[in-house]
Amino acid sequence: MAPKNILVIMGSPRKGSTFFACEDLRKELGQHLPVEFEYLWLKDADLKPCRGCLSCFSRGEETCPNRDDAPRIEQKMHEADAVVFATPVYGLNVTGQMKVFVDRFSYIFHRPRFFDKKAFILTTAGIMGNKEVQKYLTTVARIWGFEIAGNAGTVTATPVSPGQAEKNRKEIARAAGEFAAALRRPARKSPGLYDLIVFHGQRAAFRRLETISPADYRYWNGKGWFDRGARYFTGVPVNPVYHAIGVAVEKISARRMEKDLAACTVEQP
């Protein structure tokens, strides 16, 4: 079996606990299947903060006024078999470097694209915050199109007691097994209810934004996601109950969107 190429988006500003947790993950994962890790350190990347100009939403990411490493980083994510989003918990959230990364690629929330990729979420915390940060990054990765292949959170307050070190080891070992199983699975899993609500909710919005957000409209239209038969972003099987709920959400969202657009038109001078 050819090695799986794993890209680590490293949000830590230093080679500390999060890096060592990633290395532990690499070693444990290697017990299941061959892997090659590549680290992309955000602290060393030329990634400029989002300016909030909305140009990427309305006209396309190529019109962003920031000229930096974003296109290269996106290409690396496309080339990998899986991406590990790794960050320590700072102030009960991701690091500043990781937040700049997420903000810089905000256009992917509107135009998802990583449906053939797996994502793994890895966090480290001194005491608390792992669950909250994992939930945030999981939401980001899912909306971007990734299939979530596992997560792990370790507690690394100095000094780490022998008992906590053993808990961390077991956490990484457990997660590595889960990650390996996902990497071996050729087909993408069926979407969950949340994924379908996102799909139908976004479809209701972008179908009505051809003039306001033409880049989003063109992207969705070009993918065929506005077509009547489109049930999700990809052709994977969809739970019929989840589909029915998604369609209901789309109808409600469409009515709300049309009402808001009509109100905006009336208010124009």
Side-chain angles (χ1 to χ4, degrees), residues 74 109 113 127 145 206 220 245 260:
E74 183 182 333
F109 287 105
R113 57 199 63 190
I127 299 175
F206 296 137
W220 277 69
I245 295 173
D260 290 344

Side-chain angles (χ1 to χ4, degrees), residues 58-229:
S58 61
R59 297 189 292 133
E61 60 268 28
E62 66 278 2
T63 67
C64 177
N66 289 337
R67 299 304 175 195
D68 54 17
D69 289 342
R72 178 181 67 87
I73 292 173
E74 183 182 333
Q75 185 59 37
K76 280 187 170 293
M77 289 193 282
H78 281 294
E79 293 170 353
D81 294 306
V83 176
V84 174
F85 296 93
T87 182
V89 175
Y90 280 10
L92 300 179
N93 210 318
V94 298
T95 62
Q97 289 86 353
M98 183 62 80
K99 190 61 172 69
V100 167
F101 164 78
V102 172
D103 290 350
R104 182 63 179 82
F105 289 97
S106 285
Y107 58 88
I108 304 179
F109 287 105
H110 285 208
R111 301 188 288 277
R113 57 199 63 190
F114 295 108
F115 299 103
D116 61 339
K117 307 299 177 187
K118 315 285 187 182
F120 186 92
I121 311 301
L122 179 62
T123 62
T124 62
I127 299 175
M128 58 189 292
N130 274 322
K131 289 184 178 180
E132 293 80 3
V133 173
Q134 286 175 25
K135 182 179 180 181
Y136 168 67
L137 286 176
T138 294
T139 300
V140 170
R142 285 176 75 174
I143 297 178
W144 284 8
F146 287 96
E147 178 185 341
I148 304 302
N151 64 280
T154 61
V155 177
T156 56
T158 305
V160 178
S161 69
Q164 184 60 58
E166 179 62 14
K167 288 181 180 179
N168 290 343
R169 187 195 67 77
K170 289 181 178 179
E171 171 75 354
I172 295 294
R174 173 202 61 77
E178 186 179 340
F179 194 8
L183 289 171
R184 288 197 190 99
R185 186 171 57 245
R188 184 186 175 95
K189 292 191 300 184
S190 294
L193 177 59
Y194 175 84
D195 303 302
L196 287 168
I197 288 174
V198 169
F199 170 73
H200 285 281
Q202 287 190 318
R203 185 162 76 167
F206 296 137
R207 180 178 272 158
R208 290 157 178 81
L209 293 178
E210 183 175 4
T211 58
I212 297 174
S213 192
D216 291 334
Y217 180 88
R218 285 195 305 270
Y219 187 85
W220 277 69
N221 192 46
K223 295 289 186 181
W225 293 340
F226 292 145
D227 295 351
R228 186 178 182 84

